[in-house]
């Protein structure tokens, strides 16, 4: 945890932003793997509960009565039967004191708190639930059917938390730097182990082990595959083959639950072919263009489309695209090769605050998403950048056989795409390069002091010497 004052100040600011009513922040409960007492490990607390109440134990709820300025940590103390198996834990009173909360109450009193507030017609602010046990709890407490809970969730509370969690404080940035250290170890482990004859599963498992041994857990299920054209290609038992590319998208979560998220693509045999290098160099230049453009006051939407236009120009030079660049990008032709957005917010969640919906996190009243155009509809971050934001920079180029076939058959964007040449790339795979970037006063910088190799010569030299 951070120090007590951090949590006190966060809750004070939250009260000011929300204004009135009762805020209820639900912590997570244990989630069973295949029967009640065999739970997923390690336990992962809800991020917003962590942000304001700091405690990682299951079965806790934070209540903030704004009008009466009363804060309460609600939860039941662990009984001796559980202590025998899991060891002694702090009492709810002790946990409350550690984060500057004056009051505690057993879980059964949460119903009374809600009934009293509803009887007085006071607003109860809660966040959109994403676990079914919490949905049932909200139904029991407030009578709101699970199908209606997302719509009934407090937009005031969502907006307040997004405002606070978007800009990272010095202590949060330090924690993100710690995550980057682990991320570096994960990715360089993958690069050292990758060679013809080993399985994707073996490399992916070793990468996960690094996260588990240095931090709390992986920040998302590790992606490691020779089929880089599959966005979320989890490791399979396929054997790595010489001449193929391996894509590793992996990140760590620290003990305090701040994340890293990086992607590297490298040759299985340690040496890029000329064709691989031609595509890789485009992605590399798109990645580095983001670093030049991203700064406070600039819309990430504009950075995304600057990258798309740059990529289109370079693909035209290879004969894979043609026509006017502006018209091609406006038509969405670039999404044949880049069907996702340039990046997303990063923090306690790898897609930070995604449970609030990206329209509330990555966009604002000035910048709205385009949900109609393929590719652009997957842009998670479009709003103006501000100092203290942490975003990912993750351009990619992918050759997806099914997408190629579909667009070719329908003639979609045929004036901008050379389908005959594209056919010869169906066995290529995909390339992505991703780093976490902190927006500074007048620009941006990488998170993490050690750079995971990504320039082609650096990649080849690292794999040759390690």
């Amino acid at each position: 945890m951070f120090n007590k004052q951090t949590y006190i100040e966060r809750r004070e600011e939250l009260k000011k932003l929300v204004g009135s009513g009762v805020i209820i922040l639900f912590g997570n409960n244990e989630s069973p793997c295949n029967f009640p007492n065999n739970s997923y490990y390690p336990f992962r607390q809800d991020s917003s509960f962590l942000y304001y109440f700091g405690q990682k134990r299951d079965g806790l709820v934070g209540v903030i009565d704004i009008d009466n300025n009363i804060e309460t940590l609600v939860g039941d103390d662990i009984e001796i039967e559980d202590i025998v198996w899991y060891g002694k834990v702090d009492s709810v009173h002790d946990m409350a004191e550690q984060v500057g909360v004056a009051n505690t109450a057993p879980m059964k009193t949460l119903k009374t708190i809600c009934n009293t507030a509803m009887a007085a017609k006071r607003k109860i602010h809660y966040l959109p639930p994403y676990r079914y046990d919490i949905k049932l709890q909200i139904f029991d407490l407030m009578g709101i059917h699970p199908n209606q809970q997302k719509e009934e969730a407090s937009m005031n509370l969502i907006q307040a938390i997004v405002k606070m969690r978007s800009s990272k404080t010095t202590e949060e940035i330090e924690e993100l730097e710690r995550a980057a250290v682990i991320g570096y170890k994960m990715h360089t482990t993958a690069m050292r182990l990758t060679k013809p004859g080993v399985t994707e599963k073996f490399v992916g498992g070793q990468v996960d082990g690094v996260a588990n041994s240095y931090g709390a857990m992986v920040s998302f299920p590790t992606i490691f595959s020779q089929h880089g054209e599959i966005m979320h290609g989890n490791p399979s038992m396929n054997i790595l083959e010489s001449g193929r590319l391996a894509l590793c998208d992996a990140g760590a979560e620290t003990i305090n639950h701040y994340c890293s998220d990086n992607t590297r693509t490298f040759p299985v045999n340690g040496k890029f072919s000329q064709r691989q290098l031609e595509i890789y160099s485009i992605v590399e230049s798109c990645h580095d263009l983001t670093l030049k453009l991203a700064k406070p006051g600039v819309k990430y939407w504009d950075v995304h489309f600057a990258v798309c236009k740059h990529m289109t120009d370079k693909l035209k030079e290879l004969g894979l695209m043609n026509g006017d660049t502006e018209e091609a990008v406006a038509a969405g032709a670039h999404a044949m090769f880049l069907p996702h957005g340039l990046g997303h917010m990063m923090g306690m969640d790898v897609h930070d605050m995604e449970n609030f919906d990206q329209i509330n996190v990555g966009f604002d009243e000035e910048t709205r998403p385009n949900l109609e155009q393929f590719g652009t509809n997957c842009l998670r971050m479009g709003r103006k950048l501000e100092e203290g934001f942490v975003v990912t920079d993750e351009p990619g180029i992918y050759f997806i056989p099914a997408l190629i076939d579909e667009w070719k058959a329908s003639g979609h964007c045929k004036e901008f795409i050379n389908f005959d040449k594209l056919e010869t790339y169906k066995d290529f795979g995909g390339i992505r390069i991703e780093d976490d970037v902190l927006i500074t006063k007048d620009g941006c910088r990488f998170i993490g002091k050690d750079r995971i190799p990504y320039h082609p010569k650096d990649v080849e030299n690292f794999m040759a010497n390690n």
Side-chain angles (χ1 to χ4, degrees):
M1 290 192 299
F2 298 127
N3 64 63
K4 178 190 296 189
Q5 194 60 31
T6 293
Y7 299 103
I8 292 172
E9 290 173 359
R10 287 175 176 177
R11 293 192 300 272
E12 286 301 315
E13 180 64 17
L14 184 64
K15 284 184 272 192
K16 292 176 185 176
L17 290 172
V18 176
S20 64
V22 178
I23 298 170
I24 298 181
L25 292 175
F26 292 90
N28 283 336
N29 298 311
E30 286 282 15
S31 182
C33 181
N34 54 0
F35 56 89
N37 289 329
N38 186 26
S39 59
Y40 282 103
Y41 178 83
F43 169 73
R44 179 54 158 89
Q45 184 61 280
D46 175 78
S47 293
S48 290
F49 181 89
L50 276 174
Y51 189 82
Y52 294 102
F53 286 89
Q55 296 292 352
K56 302 177 184 180
R57 207 205 82 182
D58 61 304
L60 298 173
V61 177
V63 178
I64 303 173
D65 184 332
I66 301 173
D67 307 300
N68 296 304
N69 197 28
I70 298 173
E71 299 174 348
T72 306
L73 184 63
V74 178
D76 296 326
D77 285 327
I78 300 299
E79 297 179 350
I80 190 63
E81 287 82 358
D82 288 322
I83 292 174
V84 168
W85 290 99
Y86 299 109
K88 190 177 185 303
V89 297
D90 291 334
S91 68
V92 175
H93 178 272
D94 290 338
M95 289 190 287
E97 198 280 330
Q98 290 163 10
V99 293
V101 174
N103 303 286
T104 61
M107 188 59 69
K108 65 182 181 182
T109 64
L110 190 56
K111 178 67 172 175
T112 302
I113 291 171
C114 291
N115 285 344
T116 301
M118 290 187 292
K121 300 190 182 305
R122 298 177 65 202
K123 174 68 175 178
I124 297 178
H125 303 273
Y126 69 88
L127 296 172
Y130 53 89
R131 288 191 170 189
Y132 286 98
D133 54 337
I134 302 300
K135 291 182 179 184
L136 291 173
Q137 191 173 10
I138 291 173
F139 183 51
D140 289 341
L141 292 170
M142 305 175 214
I144 304 171
H145 191 277
N147 291 343
Q148 300 171 317
Q149 288 171 9
K150 183 176 180 180
E151 290 71 26
E152 293 290 326
S154 170
M155 187 55 64
N156 283 351
L157 181 58
I158 290 171
Q159 291 172 341
I161 294 178
V162 169
K163 179 179 177 61
M164 292 183 66
R165 285 181 57 186
S166 291
S167 294
K168 305 303 186 285
T169 62
T170 299
E171 58 188 353
E172 288 182 287
I173 293 168
E174 290 172 353
E175 199 65 28
L176 288 165
E177 297 279 1
R178 294 185 186 99
V181 170
I182 307 171
Y184 176 86
K185 294 178 186 294
M186 295 169 72
H187 280 272
T188 52
T189 294
M191 295 172 77
R192 281 196 302 271
L193 294 176
T194 293
K195 64 183 69 176
V198 303
T199 65
E200 295 175 358
K201 195 75 169 176
F202 174 78
V203 178
Q206 297 297 310
V207 168
D208 288 353
V210 173
N212 294 338
S213 59
Y214 287 98
M217 57 194 295
V218 293
S219 54
F220 58 95
T222 294
I223 297 164
F224 184 84
S225 177
Q226 293 176 111
H227 286 281
E229 78 278 10
I230 301 173
M231 301 300 133
H232 290 167
N234 297 126
S236 72
M237 291 304 293
N238 291 336
I239 295 172
L240 298 177
E241 301 172 9
S242 182
R244 300 291 296 275
L245 292 169
L247 186 150
C248 182
D249 187 346
E253 195 171 296
T254 68
I255 293 297
N256 285 322
H257 301 290
Y258 282 78
C259 299
S260 71
D261 182 8
N262 301 93
T263 305
R264 293 294 185 266
T265 309
F266 38 88
V268 170
N269 63 15
K271 187 74 175 177
F272 289 104
S273 70
Q274 182 57 36
R275 189 169 77 148
Q276 290 169 348
L277 192 58
E278 288 171 349
I279 301 299
Y280 189 96
S281 296
I282 299 174
V283 180
E284 175 194 16
S285 64
C286 289
H287 171 277
D288 291 352
L289 177 61
T290 300
L291 302 175
K292 296 177 183 177
L293 298 178
K295 60 182 178 181
V298 173
K299 294 178 182 177
Y300 216 48
W301 176 283
D302 293 336
V303 180
H304 169 80
F305 281 105
V307 165
C308 293
K309 292 171 186 176
H310 175 75
M311 183 189 74
T312 299
D313 284 337
K314 294 298 183 181
L315 288 171
K316 284 165 60 177
E317 292 176 8
L318 291 181
L320 285 163
M321 295 188 73
N322 46 56
D324 182 80
T325 295
E326 294 282 344
E327 292 178 3
V329 172
H334 64 281
M336 165 60 73
F337 306 93
L338 178 60
H340 62 74
L342 180 61
H344 52 79
M345 287 281 212
M346 267 283 304
M348 297 183 82
D349 305 312
V350 72
H351 295 161
D352 211 17
M353 300 172 282
E354 190 171 28
N355 56 311
F356 301 159
D357 284 344
Q358 288 298 328
I359 193 170
N360 296 317
V361 179
F363 295 88
D364 53 25
E365 292 183 1
E366 181 181 0
T367 308
R368 308 306 293 167
N370 178 351
L371 301 178
E372 304 301 320
Q373 188 182 74
F374 175 79
T376 306
N377 62 341
C378 293
L379 179 58
R380 290 189 173 98
M381 177 67 184
R383 62 189 282 199
K384 277 184 180 177
L385 299 169
E386 298 179 20
E387 183 178 359
F389 282 14
V390 175
V391 296
T392 59
D393 166 19
E394 52 178 305
I397 293 178
Y398 313 89
F399 297 91
I400 306 169
L403 186 63
I404 294 170
D405 291 343
E406 182 174 311
W407 283 27
K408 184 177 181 179
S410 67
H412 183 62
C413 288
K414 62 182 180 179
E415 64 270 38
F416 303 116
I417 298 173
N418 184 344
F419 283 103
D420 288 340
K421 186 161 187 176
L422 193 54
E423 282 284 333
T424 68
Y425 281 79
K426 278 186 171 180
D427 63 348
F428 187 94
I431 294 171
R432 181 166 63 254
I433 304 172
E434 177 183 14
D435 283 298
D436 305 328
V437 176
L438 170 68
I439 305 303
T440 59
K441 182 178 181 180
D442 52 8
C444 67
R445 70 166 177 84
F446 287 117
I447 295 282
K449 65 180 179 65
D450 294 322
R451 190 66 42 241
I452 305 165
Y454 76 92
H455 297 303
K457 285 299 181 186
D458 293 338
V459 172
E460 291 179 343
N461 289 339
F462 183 90
M463 294 185 74
N465 296 321
N466 291 276

